Amino acid sequence: MAHISQILARLKKDPIADLPIAEPFQQVLTECGHVWRDRLLTPLVMLRLSLIQILNNNCAINALRQLSGLDFAKGSYSDARARLPLVVLQSFLRMLHEQAEKSLGVVKTIGHRIFIVDGSSFSTEDTPELREYYDLP
């Protein structure tokens, strides 16, 4: 079990280290017409930082700096994240989905679309109906 926990810890620290996504991501950026300066917080670095932040319960930017090992100002991170267009992320996710469909016959067999949802900041009231539905005391 220690092996699995080590893998999960590594994925939380750097979720895209083992994935060959730099070139496809650059291609999506080019296709979407996104232009950036080659600084510390490039679009690929921002993608990595966003994933690290999400995987760590949407941690604060100060904690993200510690988790990533990068030294950047909070304002710089916020500005760089705002500059990354949503259409770039949507196009990149579409491309990843297409690659998953090609490489996984299971996806085609099941015939469902893949949706990724982050519900970590959503809460609901504690009602009797929900308690009954989720079989809670």
Side-chain angles (χ1 to χ4, degrees), residues 8 12 21 35-36 38 47-48 56 59 75 88-89 91 94 101 111-116:
L8 290 175
K12 274 186 131 179
I21 64 167
V35 180
W36 68 95
D38 197 15
L47 178 66
R48 176 181 170 254
N56 287 282
C59 63
V88 168
L89 296 175
S91 298
R94 237 181 265 109
E101 279 187 327
H112 296 287
R113 294 175 63 185
I114 298 174
F115 289 96
I116 300 172

Side-chain angles (χ1 to χ4, degrees), residues 45-74:
V45 172
M46 289 306 301
L47 178 66
R48 176 181 170 254
L49 290 174
S50 296
L51 289 172
I52 291 171
Q53 187 175 31
I54 291 166
L55 289 171
N56 287 282
N57 298 322
N58 287 326
C59 63
I61 297 172
N62 284 337
L64 180 61
R65 291 170 55 196
Q66 293 176 346
L67 291 168
S68 68
L70 296 175
D71 188 25
F72 53 86
K74 291 191 287 188

Side-chain angles (χ1 to χ4, degrees), residues 78-92:
S78 299
D79 292 344
R81 192 168 179 178
R83 282 191 301 267
L84 193 58
L86 181 60
V87 69
V88 168
L89 296 175
Q90 289 172 332
S91 298
F92 185 63

Side-chain angles (χ1 to χ4, degrees), residues 9 23 71-72 76 101 114 118 125 131:
E23 286 184 34
D71 188 25
F72 53 86
S76 299
E101 279 187 327
I114 298 174
D118 176 20
E125 292 183 33
R131 288 177 167 274

